[in-house]
Amino acid sequence: MADVMEETISGAIVRAFFEKFERHLAVDVGIVGAGPSGLVAARYLAQAGLKVAVFESKLAPGGGTWGGGMLFNEVVVQDDAAPILHDFGVSTRDLGNGYHTLDSVEMASGLIFGARKAGAVIFNTMCVEDICVREGKVCGLVVNWNPVRRLEMHVDPVVVTARAVLDGTGHPSEIVHKAVDKAGIKVDSPTGGIMGEKPMWMEDGERTTVLNTKRLYPGLYASGMAANNVQGGFRMGPIFGGMLKSGKKVAELILQDLRP
Ligand code: 48F
């Protein structure tokens, strides 16, 4: 009887995973990247009743949140972004000068938990390697295991269809690159292409991250540093208010577009 428990445990994992994955092969919103902007968007979209899947290439979701600034595991947000964190149950310390500090581990884990508890499903260790475009609209994500990509294994992906796709991949804006470079799409940027991120200027970078958060093409949106990279915004480093507000704004934009 020694093998009964092993069979039960393995079977439970395999059945539960494939049931979850099958339920998310067609979603309302496919989010690429579980950084702060993607996770905030995921929570608000799922809370509004949409079916949301987040694909994160790394084992641990959270993106650039964990390491704070230079591995000092504290981050800073502005007064007006703190309520988004409080909404996730994440605590902040008000410095009384317009800024709050918070523990970056609490922030990362809180954003992940908050997105998941709202109903968004996070598929970690899965990367999005391409998109689907039909009749002038981005409508799907081409998904594979990240170790397959990293080991350059010759293995075909599978496809998840989505009514809206959010590029939350951070600095490289990988999904918008696929749209521009492979599909020849002209996105809603000053050149129709990817402008490229500018160097560090915290104040301007923070302001424009939110302004740069927009629908780039039917079915295609960008948030956070991906949005900044597309529109040529400045880098801002370990201040995260713009990321959080960008995630909230893109959720509102997607909701407006998807609701009848
Ligand atoms: O970079 P990231 O944290 O995204 P963000 O929401 O936040 C940026 C800040 O962390 C920081 C900053 C703040 O001032 O400048 O950089 O813009 O997280 C992006 C996530 O996307 C994943 C990547 O592993 C990371 O966790 N990712 C990137 N490409 C892919 C991907 C891909 N092709 N498929 C799946 N996940």
Side-chain angles (χ1 to χ4, degrees), residues 6-184:
E6 282 77 356
E7 283 177 26
T8 303
I9 301 304
S10 303
I13 290 169
V14 170
R15 277 187 294 276
F17 175 79
F18 282 102
E19 189 262 329
K20 181 167 65 180
F21 195 33
E22 190 172 18
R23 259 190 296 121
H24 290 84
L25 289 177
V27 293
D28 292 315
V29 189
I31 298 179
V32 191
S37 68
L39 289 169
V40 168
R43 176 176 169 91
Y44 290 125
L45 289 163
Q47 268 181 342
L50 297 188
K51 191 196 275 192
V52 180
V54 183
F55 298 93
E56 168 52 54
S57 57
K58 296 204 174 117
L59 183 58
T65 314
W66 296 100
M70 207 183 140
L71 291 181
F72 310 141
N73 69 352
E74 288 282 323
V75 296
V76 177
V77 299
Q78 302 86 332
D79 279 347
D80 63 347
I84 299 175
L85 291 164
H86 302 158
D87 191 26
F88 278 75
V90 172
S91 309
T92 63
R93 275 181 306 282
D94 189 346
L95 301 180
N97 59 359
Y99 298 101
H100 295 229
T101 54
L102 68 147
D103 181 286
S104 67
V105 175
E106 182 176 345
M107 177 170 165
S109 55
L111 294 181
I112 297 163
F113 190 67
R116 183 68 194 94
K117 286 317 249 185
V121 173
I122 302 172
F123 292 98
N124 56 335
T125 331
M126 281 194 197
C127 69
V128 174
E129 57 176 53
D130 208 345
I131 54 172
C132 302
V133 186
R134 296 288 142 72
E135 294 165 5
K137 190 174 184 305
V138 174
C139 58
L141 295 173
V142 179
V143 174
N144 213 329
W145 293 112
N146 198 35
V148 165
R149 174 167 74 165
R150 292 188 65 178
L151 294 171
E152 297 181 14
M153 293 164 80
H154 193 163
V155 178
D156 272 320
V158 296
V159 174
V160 172
T161 61
R163 296 168 67 208
V165 163
L166 171 59
D167 186 337
T169 63
H171 297 265
S173 53
E174 284 190 36
I175 304 310
V176 183
H177 261 294
K178 297 296 176 200
V180 170
D181 302 341
K182 282 190 87 174

